[in-house]
Amino acid sequence: MGTESKRQQRFAGVIQQDLAELFQRDGKAWAPGAFITVTRVRVTPDLAIARVYLSFLNTKTAKDDIANIKTKTNEIRYKLGAKIKNQVRVVPQLEFFLDDTNEYVEHMDKLFDEISKEDRQPD
């Protein structure tokens, strides 16, 4: 996958900011008790599809929450369209993905801790 153009990056930034506000305001209905963060947005070169990566805090059911949000994609796209209608020609299709970077970092930290606790064997 090549690098994104300035236009894609700018468009992704607009979508990320507006979706973040939307999840902050309405996210409780879609994922009760979870704090939702829009960590990254990637846009296709034709600006037709936006891949949105979400991170969930304060929840053990992130996979269920992302599944619930995927069922609400049309509602979320409609609300996003109402916010950005004057800035874009076409509101992109939204695809949501779980950003598990935090879980991966925690897992790696745990592995490194275990390695450092093991007895050193002489060479």
Side-chain angles (χ1 to χ4, degrees):
M1 186 171 172
T3 59
E4 292 182 330
S5 68
K6 292 280 187 200
R7 183 174 179 222
Q8 285 173 276
Q9 292 172 357
R10 201 168 38 246
F11 189 59
V14 168
I15 291 173
Q16 183 172 357
Q17 185 176 5
D18 289 338
L19 279 177
E21 291 173 10
L22 189 65
F23 280 115
Q24 187 175 20
R25 191 178 63 239
D26 300 338
K28 303 260 186 284
W30 302 319
F35 181 74
I36 304 169
T37 306
V38 180
T39 56
R40 183 177 47 207
V41 175
R42 299 264 190 225
V43 181
T44 56
D46 63 356
L47 308 180
I49 300 171
R51 293 181 177 96
V52 182
Y53 294 85
L54 302 175
S55 175
F56 294 86
L57 300 174
N58 298 335
T59 184
K60 299 288 185 204
T61 59
K63 286 183 174 51
D64 295 337
D65 292 339
I66 193 79
N68 190 31
I69 286 173
K70 285 180 180 180
T71 64
K72 307 285 188 203
T73 299
N74 289 336
E75 176 186 347
I76 296 168
R77 182 173 181 242
Y78 177 80
K79 289 182 178 187
L80 175 66
K83 289 184 71 109
I84 66 172
K85 66 182 175 201
N86 296 328
Q87 300 171 33
V88 298
R89 259 185 263 146
V90 177
V91 179
Q93 292 291 325
L94 300 176
E95 295 177 356
F96 292 103
F97 299 94
L98 182 61
D99 185 356
D100 55 358
T101 306
N102 290 338
E103 293 172 20
Y104 178 75
V105 169
E106 288 175 16
H107 177 70
M108 293 306 290
D109 284 343
K110 198 180 299 181
L111 289 176
F112 286 130
D113 287 345
E114 288 175 14
I115 291 170
S116 66
K117 289 178 184 175
E118 288 179 5
D119 291 335
R120 299 269 179 208
Q121 296 180 0
D123 289 336

